[in-house]
Amino acid sequence: MLKIPRNYDPSLHPFELSREYTRALNATKLERVFAKPFLSSLDGHRDGVNCLAKHTRSLSTLLSGSCDGVVKVWNLTKRECVRTLQAHEGFVRGMVVRYCGSSFFTIGDDKTIKQWNMEAPGYGEEEEPLNTILGKTVFTGLDHHQKKGVFATCGQQVDIWDEQRSTPIRSFSWGVDSFSSVRFNPVETELLGSCASDRSIVLYDMRESTPLKKVIMTMRTNTLCWNPMEAYFFTCANEDYNLYTYDMRYLEKPCKVHMDHVSAVLDVDYSPTGLEFVSASFDKTVRIFPKDAGHSREVYHTKRMQHVICIKWSADNKYILSGSDEMNIRLWKANAAEKLGVLAPREREAVNYSQKLKEKFQHYPQIKRIARHRHLPKNIYHQRNELRVMKEARRRKETNVRKHSKPGSVPVVSEKEKHVVSVVD
Amino acid sequence: MAKVSKKKGNKNVKKVVMSVEERPPVNEEEEEEAGMAGAEGDIGSSGEDEGEDERKRQKLLQAISALGGKRKKALGERSEAAVDMSEFSVNPEDGPGKVQLSDLMGTLEKTPAVPAKTRKLLENLQRNKKTVDSPLSKQETERIQRGMAFQKAASEVSRWDSVITQNQRAEQLLFPLNQEPAGPRPIERLVAGWKAQTPLEQEVFALLSANKQPFTDPILTPAEEASVKAMSLEEAKIRRAELQKARALQSYYEAKARREKKIKSKKYHKVQNKVKRKGLLKHIEQMIKTDPAAAMQELNKMELARMQERMSLKHQNSSKWAKSKAIMAKYDEEARKAMQQQLEMNRELTQKLVTSLNEEEEEEEEGAAGEADVLPDFVNDAVDGPPNPWMKGKLTEEPTKEQANDAAPEAASVSAAAAEEEEEEWAADKTEEEALLREFDCRRKRHQAQESDTAGSIFQEEMTEAAAEDSGASDCDEEARSEFRSISRGGEEGFKATEAVNCADRTDESAQLEERLIRIRTVEDLECLPHEPSAQPRDPPTTKAQPSEEKRVGKSKKKKGIELKEVLTKNTNIIKVPLAPIGTDSEDPEAKVDQKGLIKEAFAGDDVISDFLKDKRRQEDEGKPKVIDLTLPGWGEWGGLGLKPPKRKRRKVRSAPPPPRKDQRLPTVIISEKKNASISLHQVHSLPFPFENHAQFESCFRSPLGRTWNTERTVKKVTKPRVVTQMGAIIDPMAEEELLRNKDAVARETSSVNSKKKRQPLPITMFFSRKKAHLHRGL
């Protein structure tokens, strides 16, 4: 390479702003043109995919459990199923891989917890669980501790199990009869959160004998997910089409309300960097939200994808996996326009530069317009418009009521406060 | 009531029984107390005699039953704790293993060791009829427990505050967090679990084991490993950078010295030497204060030089060269000068350094006398009398100055001052470099001595500061950018739940996706995207708020238009304000008149309206089409002075008149038609959310990012992505170690700040060192 002497005299390179603007505009357009997030679909299940589990040590392994009790292990690089086992009778309700990656646990509608070896049995050997625990009631949620041989299940109560024992080492119940999901905090590993059917979110400490606190919301929360980089934030997927990010220390009101879905949100998973999360909804879309933004930055949908039941963000922050009603698992890119594979240094520099340009000119109307454009299926589009109209009408009515009543009698309630009924300690 | 009390008493007694069984003699007092309390009930009345009787009776019974057979006795002695402890069923009075209060009291009475005080206390307790508070309800206790547990968990979680805020503010985040340090890994980690298999390998291992060389154990001894671990990668990097810098500076300095050494000019070296000496003198004064030992050495050295000079009189005109010069001096200006210089040197050398004034004077006189003896007259002509201060200073300056110095001492003094300054600069340059090297040296020593990380951090601090200075041109825009970043992040940081509602709504709107039914497949599709309404300049929200107000405004406008027309028909000296405040003028006419009068008074001097009219005319003229002469004189014709092109070739182009101006019929208005609608489509019309004012927003666009305008380094720095992930690496959740690392970092920062404070006395050297670093990087 020859060293070329450059003259950076600004008079020799005029119109810098306009030139960069043009570049930014072109970069934005290209980004939209190259935004092809859908990579592939993994088919093979004979019933809706009810749960997904990431392998903790291998990026290319994915586990999925379906509504007919079948668990499949997938190789994502080859995009094929490598192992199929009939784990339960009825639904596979939950699945989690042990922190070391050597085995995984499943729970099902048949009131059992089963531990399976990650490696497939040899030829001629039968597929048998390493361990089976028979519970008294149906389990609905399962999660494993980050570093210890301890896992948690939920059903009628939240149970903490030692892997070596057949009875729970601790059970928490607090006046509710069913929980839908339980999750360990990945940072403060002794803390747990669970969603109950009485519209509440309950927090626990594994070391304490009692739950910590609970917040009751206006509608039921389906699942929650802790931020893997920020110990006290968690996001929960609610039936009222919204997601709420809470600081666990201040449950009185969520620190962010994320709206955009037009139907109940069924699952949520954080990106491993903790900066974004992805949500799966009953409205047949997958949306990606920055952790501190009120609206999504991306919406994924395909013609054939039905209600998305479970969603996972891959551990290398590159892919998103969604399992849906119509028996398919879909693999998406986390950044729709990103080029996959190794980038040459110059390529990388160009990408970085265009990224910065887009950031710099993001407020310019043309750029904003193009960058924000997304295609939506017709029904979702209309539903969204309808919701918008409804919301506006409600707002207008409220302001009218306020206008015509005694000052102070109709207080302004912020969107954040609106959805919390009470905090119980 | 009696029944209840009885029950209570029984219960108490049973408790006593339990406690006795569990921990017999540990704290008798408590048991006794309990027993006393129990005695309030039914047994209170029973004396100790009765108790004894009871026991005797039991013994008798036992003896009788023992006579009957073994089995019965065994049955009698059997007791179940559960029955004893049950709080629901009352035991039969003759239950087994019952301890009566009287037993306890009896022993108390008997033993003389029990002090009267305790006895009194017990009696008091007996009399006291207060009962213990009933325990809280289960729900209540659980709530308290939960509260406690939550407090604990919340405080535990709050440890992460600093890490989280730091990550939110960070310019760049690298994932996975705990990346393996790059570089070669120790061999023993690579070959762990590897065994010698081939005969050759076995042979080698046999040899190794024979010589007691470690091959299965770690190759490094524990001590070595500890020393490797002692310095973290970052520290080592900092250290290395420091050493590199020191080395570079050293080589730079050496090269400079070599270059200087090569210079053949004697004059230059003389100046150098003199400067050095002077610098040293100055330095010594400082050194006496700071480092007396070193100063003493320097002084000794100088003293030695003086002695040598006095002994040898090398610079007196006794040498061969001097004598020859003395002969030449009569005719040669140069020779004379040389002699003078030599004498000057002598004087300088023989001068005593730290002496009283008298001595100095004496010596000077002496020196002068000596010179007078030896020197020829013409030399003395120039030197005349006492040693000339100007001669002492800058003999090597231009001769004109020297000639002038007798005649005009004032001018000379000025120039001398300038010269002195120059000299000082030289000295400063020298000393600065030396100081720098010295500093490095001592730092290195310090490192070797204690291996403290503080020094490294100081240096890092310096380096970063130097880097900050270095960036120079791109600095300001960098600042602006960071400001913007902080602002935008500040906007995002509103996680603490204090944001105003409408504010949040605004951000949400700005962030919302523009979801439509159109699919984008090509760039052409993008062009077809419908333009959003928000691209047009938004009306301020107040305009549509109150229709009644609008009406009023319209009215007043109308009224004013009429007024102004009147104004324009009148002579221009009568002044009315074209834009009076709208809100007030229709309210009460008297006030208006007052206001007008006031304004008239205030603007009596300047002729606003004629100015305005002029301005308008000028703008109109500018808009009018201009006649352009396109004739080319001499083209196809004869050229020359006084020749006019023929009429047919006179081509004047007059472009078509533009459409009538919009303000044609509005005498009081100028409507500029320069505005281009197509450009406005690309312009930002309202201030975007995180910004607070226009200046802030504009500062983001002050500097370009591309490599057309910036150096490679700057481009790299400016386009650094915020999140960097490794391909195919699993990003684990944040672990406890991150907390510790963060703590370390914070501690290091604070310590570096402290040490910086400590280093205050040497700010100049620091400055120079930074400057040097900058210079070096420039090279």
Side-chain angles (χ1 to χ4, degrees), chain B residues 48-335:
Chain B
E48 64 171 315
D49 296 12
E50 269 185 32
E52 275 208 12
D53 280 355
E54 190 87 348
R55 216 182 299 159
K56 275 176 188 168
R57 200 176 69 106
Q58 280 209 348
K59 265 187 182 173
L60 190 70
L61 278 173
Q62 275 175 7
I64 291 163
S65 63
L67 285 175
K70 272 180 189 174
R71 190 177 282 174
K72 238 181 184 177
K73 186 191 170 190
L75 278 173
E77 277 181 358
R78 194 163 154 187
S79 70
E80 264 194 22
V83 176
D84 285 343
M85 280 186 285
S86 163
E87 58 181 344
F88 303 113
S89 62
V90 184
N91 266 11
E93 274 186 10
D94 54 350
K98 205 158 86 177
V99 177
Q100 303 283 347
L101 182 73
S102 53
D103 300 349
L104 302 168
M105 290 296 283
T107 52
L108 188 71
E109 291 289 311
K110 272 175 196 168
T111 45
V114 179
K117 204 176 167 188
T118 327
R119 226 168 276 170
K120 222 175 199 175
L121 210 70
L122 282 170
E123 274 164 23
N124 275 345
L125 274 173
Q126 214 165 346
R127 243 175 280 135
N128 203 352
K129 297 211 169 175
K130 243 189 229 164
T131 52
V132 186
D133 290 338
S134 63
L136 289 171
S137 69
K138 200 184 169 195
Q139 284 84 356
E140 199 70 11
T141 44
E142 273 188 352
R143 222 182 69 185
I144 290 166
Q145 274 178 354
R146 280 197 298 264
M148 298 274 284
F150 179 77
Q151 287 300 327
K152 213 167 122 194
S155 65
E156 201 174 309
V157 152
S158 299
R159 290 180 306 161
W160 294 92
D161 265 339
S162 63
V163 180
I164 289 169
T165 47
Q166 213 171 15
N167 281 354
Q168 273 168 356
R169 278 192 206 130
E171 300 225 327
Q172 191 172 38
L173 294 171
L174 292 172
F175 294 105
L177 290 173
N178 44 357
Q179 280 174 6
E180 279 261 312
R185 267 189 287 172
I187 195 86
E188 73 270 11
R189 211 174 297 163
L190 287 176
V191 298
W194 178 77
K195 274 182 182 176
Q197 283 163 337
T198 62
L200 177 66
E201 281 168 1
Q202 276 162 359
E203 208 173 306
V204 167
F205 273 86
L207 218 85
L208 280 174
S209 59
N211 290 325
K212 287 178 183 171
Q213 292 289 327
F215 55 92
T216 47
D217 298 331
I219 289 166
L220 299 174
T221 60
E224 282 171 331
E225 238 173 26
S227 71
V228 166
K229 269 183 192 168
M231 190 183 280
S232 77
L233 185 67
E234 286 160 37
E235 274 171 43
K237 270 183 186 164
I238 292 164
R239 235 340 258 301
R240 203 173 119 240
E242 186 184 343
L243 285 176
Q244 255 177 357
K245 195 186 169 191
R247 230 176 294 134
L249 266 179
Q250 178 105 32
S251 72
Y252 175 65
Y253 183 61
E254 273 168 10
K256 195 181 169 190
R258 226 174 290 133
R259 220 168 37 239
E260 278 171 1
K261 213 178 161 190
K262 257 189 190 170
I263 295 171
K264 280 180 181 163
S265 161
K266 279 186 180 168
K267 195 172 165 186
Y268 171 78
H269 282 293
K270 263 177 214 159
V271 170
Q272 281 297 82
N273 284 337
K274 199 182 272 175
V275 163
K276 207 184 266 176
R277 238 176 293 136
K278 275 210 161 170
L280 201 66
L281 272 178
K282 255 181 209 159
H283 197 66
I284 276 172
E285 277 162 27
Q286 270 189 5
M287 262 166 72
I288 286 166
K289 284 168 202 160
T290 54
D291 190 4
M296 204 59 214
Q297 263 188 4
E298 290 293 317
L299 279 177
N300 280 343
K301 231 185 255 174
M302 289 174 79
E303 190 60 34
L304 196 71
R306 180 170 170 264
M307 273 155 74
Q308 274 172 352
E309 174 60 24
R310 282 172 64 119
M311 270 162 66
S312 64
L313 290 180
K314 195 179 161 191
H315 293 92
Q316 282 286 18
N317 32 18
S318 59
S319 70
K320 207 174 174 184
W321 176 83
K323 275 171 189 162
S324 71
K325 282 283 159 183
I327 295 163
M328 291 293 289
K330 206 165 192 177
Y331 316 102
D332 192 1
E333 182 85 359
E334 287 293 310

Side-chain angles (χ1 to χ4, degrees), chain A residues 13 20-21 29 188 211 228 232 249 287 295 315 349 360 369 372-374 376 381 384 425, chain B residues 143 146 156-161 512 514-516 518 527 529 682 703 705-707 709 731 734:
Chain A
H13 308 285
E20 289 218 314
Y21 172 74
K29 285 179 182 176
E188 278 294 333
Y232 41 75
R249 298 167 298 173
R287 281 182 188 264
H295 290 280
E349 274 166 29
K360 183 180 173 182
R369 178 179 66 93
R372 274 162 43 195
H373 176 268
R374 297 289 181 280
L376 267 192
Y381 177 75
R384 192 199 55 161
D425 35 38
Chain B
R143 222 182 69 185
R146 280 197 298 264
E156 201 174 309
V157 152
S158 299
R159 290 180 306 161
W160 294 92
D161 265 339
Q512 206 160 355
E514 201 66 39
E515 288 153 350
R516 289 175 207 284
I518 306 164
E527 307 296 345
L529 278 183
H682 291 270
S703 63
L705 304 172
R707 54 164 48 86
W709 300 276
I731 301 169
M734 196 171 273

Side-chain angles (χ1 to χ4, degrees), chain B residues 423-442:
Chain B
E423 228 167 85
E424 263 173 79
E425 239 176 48
W426 268 100
D429 218 28
K430 262 272 146 43
T431 49
E432 156 211 323
E433 270 168 6
E434 278 160 10
L436 202 65
L437 281 173
R438 220 175 301 127
E439 198 189 330
F440 271 124
D441 213 37
C442 80

Side-chain angles (χ1 to χ4, degrees), chain B residues 550-562:
Chain B
E550 211 172 28
K551 222 185 244 170
R552 204 196 302 158
V553 169
K555 242 184 222 168
S556 63
K557 255 186 193 164
K558 219 174 174 182
K559 201 176 168 189
K560 206 187 295 145
I562 292 159

